[in-house]
Every structure is written in structure tokens, then in C-alpha cells.
Amino acid sequence: MNFDERRPIDILETIGEIIEAAREENNLLKLEESIDILSTLIDNARFNQREIGILNYFLANVWSYIQRIKFPDEEFPLETPELEKQIIHLRIANRLLKDTNDNFKKCQIQTNLGNLFSHIGRFSEAQEYFNQCLEIDQNFEMAIGNRGFGLYYYARVVFDATQQFIFMQYARKDLLNAIASNQVYNEAKYAFAGMVKQIESAYPLKELNDFKKYKDFYKKLDKKEINYKKWSAENKLFINPLNDILTESVVAHDYLFIPTMILKSDDKLFFHSMFNQLKQEFVSVRFLFYESVNSPKPHFSDKEVVLMDTLDYSDYSFTLEKIKIAFRVCYSIFDKISYFINIYLNLGLDKNRVSFRTVWYNNLDKNKGLNTKLLTTKNWAMRGLFWLSKDLHEKEFDTTIDPDAKEIATIRNFIEHKSFKIINSFNETWTKKTETFEIDRQLFYDKTFKLLKLSRSALMYLSFLVYDEERKKSIEQSNELTIPVNFLKIKDADKI
């Protein structure tokens, strides 16, 4: 197909028509051919950034159509290249269209990402995509309806009955808003209506319509603590499922933990102790990051520290070291989670070699296939953790589903082992020097914040994973001698 003499806008229209025609015909061959066409067009210098973003959006759609043909009953395997390709191309499109005024396309992309993330078990992050869409257009009804859809399924893994009910309230509210819209197509309305009926059959209508007004839990706190808690809640950084719905003071605490367990009489409280460690590390670097981005003046510890100005616009300070600490600790949390999973699920993998990318595979080797326990699991949060691991780069894996993953891994390597520099003014000639990794200050903030959000999600999914596994254990019969382990809370006054 020759597009050489046609305008980019006309090419986009034509290729869009070709793709939709192939979808309507369920023509797998034509869809596969369109992948080659799109891949060629993406590399064509005639297209600008926005147009390349739309081409990536088209590619994601093609992969979704191929998936539907291959798996018509919607029961997809845990891992398929079609799912990976959709996420990769939607994320690329999202990044390329970010600074454009094409709000409708941006909303479509973020809604599709929300649906995909909900499907693969990354249900907390799915809500973020829906909310980002609605920040652009608060009346984008498909995002509202799908957010409600996602909240309904999210509620099913929430173990606390009160929180689960609140999730159902907000799910129903979104679903009803979408049903009343003229923007939502009939098939979606039918699905949304069916879900509303399920919710209304489980709870009285009077209670579902009663959205509580929560008291202000900040009143007795000092201003510094209030500011920190507000920032954490608004950025949805509390390890608390309700923080994915609300930002009021009622959610401003790290509520989520792992459940009480039935253990053998000679077992130690390893899992609870390790979750303590992971949670404490996270909340500590959350505060370090908050302090750093809200630091108005130099710290006294930097006074009279003699440093040479090397005339390369580089910055050095205690403030920046705190952000680097946050970056390193957040990254380390992922491998510690894999260590936890290996022991908890009795995978029998080498404890000295296990990593977050490899823990899911037989003998830590992706070429030997996924572990049977993962392949057969119905644990949605376990699937979510598996897919979250695909956001990280390791040299043994040639692909990730996050286009920024390799750079983030490189940053970690340079911070830990090599020369790393934060600069205030970007200088291309310096970045060509391979001895040092240079990064713009704001860009490093953004990447650290991204890791902070990702590690928060990972800890949430780990907690839900354990809750689901323990629920299954509790209904299984066992003749082994066991003892119940009750939850004893450490007092705040003892955290010195």
C-alpha cells in the first residue's frame, strides 16, 4: 500500500478505516497485515509526535481485536503477547499525546489502559487511569462507567466489610451515571445495569444512597503533620484501599496489613515481621520524598561542606540525597517482595538468586515457563503482582510493558554502583559521556514518584494476595497441629 504522496492526516483516516473493516470481518490476516503497515508508518519521519501517538493507539486496538478473535470467550490466558502489546502501545501513545490538545483521544487511551489494568489484576492502578481521564474531561462517561466496573471487582478482594460496602456505593454511583448518559453504547449500558442489580441485591437501597460525611481527623494534629497527610492522601500514597476512592482525612493512615494466620506450632512470625519491614521502609521514604519536594531552603547539615563547582550545572544537597534514598529503597522493595513470595508460596527457588522478574518462572528461567501455581491461580492480586513485575527491566528479559523501564533500571545501577548526577540545566553534550548518568532535577523527581506509586501498589497487591491464600487455607481440612496467631498492634509510642 503506497502512502508516499498522501498527507499524514489522510493516511491516519485510511488506516483507521482499514483496521475497523478488518475488525468487523473478524479477519485475522488483514489485522496482522495492518500491524506491519502501522510499524512502518511509525518509523516514517513525515509524522509528528501526535500522529505517531495515534498510530500507536491504532496498534493497541489491532492487538485487542486479534486477542478477541483468538480468545472469543474472553477467558484469556494469564500471559499473552496480545495483552503486552496493547499496554506497551497505549502507554507510548499516552506519553506522546500528553502535551497535545487532543483530549478525546487521551481519554480513550486512559480508559482503555484502566480496563486493561483492571483485567490483569492491577486494580488499584486501574483507578488512577480512569481518574486521570476524568481530570481531563469530567464528563467522559465511558471512563465513569468503567471506573465503576473496576471498583466493583476491586471490592471483591477488599476483606474489610465496611470498606467493601463503600467501594460498592461508589461503584454503583458511577455505573448509574454511565447508564444515564447518551455517550455510552447500549451493550455497555446493559453490562453496567446488570452490575447495578447485583449490588442492589446485596445491600439495602437506603444504605447505598447514604454517602457518609466523615469527621475531620486532622483537627488535633499540628500543621506539619496535617500538610504531610494531606499531600499523601491527595497523591493516593497511603497503604489503604479507600485512598483509591477518597482523599479525606478518614483515609490518612496506612491501614492495610496481612491477615492473622494459622501456622504450625513451631513456625515463627516471619511473614508478619517481613511485611512490617516492607511497610516501614515504604512509609519512611514516602516522608523523605515529601520533605525533599517541599524543602524551601538548604539543610543545616550542608553548611560548610566544601564542594567544587565543576561548571556543569550539577546540584548537590541533603535534599537530593533523600530523593536518591527514596529511589533506591522503592526499587529494593520489589526484590524483597519476590523473596517473601518465594517462601510464602513454597516455590522452592534459590533465595540468593530470586528477583521480582524471575520469581514467577520455573527455576528462575523464563525459558522454562511460568510456575504451575501461577498458571492455575484464581488469585487476582497474584496476577496483578506478576503483571506489575513486567514494569521492571532485567537484562534476562528482552521486553517490559513500561517504555521507561530500562532507563529507570539504568538509573538505579548508576546510583548504586557508578557516577550519577542531578543537573538543573540540561546539556546534551554531557549526556553523551557514558561515565556519568545525568538527569534533570524535575525528571528525577518524576521518576522517583513513579517508583513510589509502583511500590505502594505492589505492597497493596501483596497484602491482598496473602488474604486470598489464607482464606483458602482456612476452609481446607488439616490434621496438622496448628495454632492461631492473633494481631497485636505495636503502639505508636514505642516507635522510637
Side-chain angles (χ1 to χ4, degrees), residues 120-132:
I120 62 178
R122 296 177 67 172
F123 39 84
S124 174
E125 297 155 281
Q127 291 300 309
E128 189 132 348
Y129 280 116
F130 294 132
N131 291 334
Q132 286 173 6

Side-chain angles (χ1 to χ4, degrees), residues 70-295:
K70 289 185 176 180
F71 310 103
D73 58 357
E74 296 189 1
E75 284 295 326
F76 315 133
L78 170 65
E79 184 181 34
T80 71
E82 291 82 12
L83 278 172
E84 286 191 0
K85 295 291 187 181
Q86 287 175 69
I87 294 170
I88 290 168
H89 289 294
L90 284 173
R91 279 177 152 178
I92 293 172
N94 195 38
R95 183 175 62 186
L96 292 173
L97 292 172
K98 182 180 179 182
D99 296 325
T100 72
N101 59 3
D102 193 344
N103 289 346
F104 182 75
K105 191 64 68 185
K106 287 190 286 189
C107 285
Q108 284 183 312
I109 290 166
Q110 288 165 350
T111 301
N112 288 354
L113 278 167
N115 290 336
L116 281 169
F117 271 57
S118 183
H119 170 75
I120 62 178
R122 296 177 67 172
F123 39 84
S124 174
E125 297 155 281
Q127 291 300 309
E128 189 132 348
Y129 280 116
F130 294 132
N131 291 334
Q132 286 173 6
C133 166
L134 294 169
E135 285 174 10
I136 296 171
D137 181 357
Q138 62 181 353
N139 297 315
F140 199 82
E141 301 294 349
M142 281 304 296
I144 294 173
N146 282 294
R147 183 176 66 177
F149 217 77
L151 285 174
Y152 172 84
Y153 284 105
Y154 191 161
R156 294 172 65 177
V157 302
V158 175
F159 56 88
D160 181 276
T162 301
Q163 286 205 357
Q164 189 177 70
F165 170 71
I166 295 170
F167 268 79
M168 290 298 188
Q169 276 188 303
Y170 281 88
R172 176 176 173 268
K173 180 181 179 182
D174 280 345
L175 293 165
L176 288 173
N177 284 337
I179 291 168
S181 168
N182 293 325
Q183 297 179 21
V184 177
Y185 56 90
N186 289 332
E187 185 181 349
K189 284 186 179 183
Y190 180 79
F192 294 159
M195 193 160 282
V196 168
K197 287 182 180 178
Q198 290 185 49
I199 296 171
E200 291 177 350
S201 68
Y203 302 98
L205 278 178
K206 184 178 180 181
E207 292 182 15
L208 286 169
N209 290 320
D210 183 18
F211 288 86
K212 302 292 184 186
K213 289 186 177 180
Y214 302 100
K215 67 178 183 179
D216 185 358
F217 291 94
Y218 293 147
K219 280 186 177 180
K220 296 181 180 180
L221 306 180
D222 64 41
K223 186 176 180 181
K224 286 185 178 179
E225 187 174 356
I226 292 172
N227 289 340
Y228 166 61
K229 284 183 174 288
K230 281 185 174 180
W231 176 87
S232 299
E234 287 165 3
N235 284 290
K236 301 185 186 299
L237 283 170
F238 282 107
I239 304 177
N240 184 339
L242 276 186
N243 195 196
D244 286 328
I245 301 176
L246 306 171
T247 57
E248 289 94 329
S249 61
V250 68
V251 304
H253 60 285
D254 297 288
Y255 159 79
L256 202 60
F257 202 69
I258 60 174
T260 58
M261 295 182 178
I262 300 296
L263 301 174
K264 295 179 182 178
S265 57
D266 59 345
D267 281 346
K268 294 181 180 179
L269 296 179
F270 168 79
F271 301 112
H272 295 84
S273 176
M274 189 168 183
F275 197 84
N276 278 345
Q277 172 194 348
L278 291 168
K279 192 172 180 180
Q280 184 62 58
E281 288 179 3
F282 171 79
V283 299
S284 297
V285 296
R286 180 181 65 197
F287 182 70
L288 286 179
F289 183 82
Y290 165 78
E291 275 194 323
S292 297
V293 298
N294 292 280
S295 179

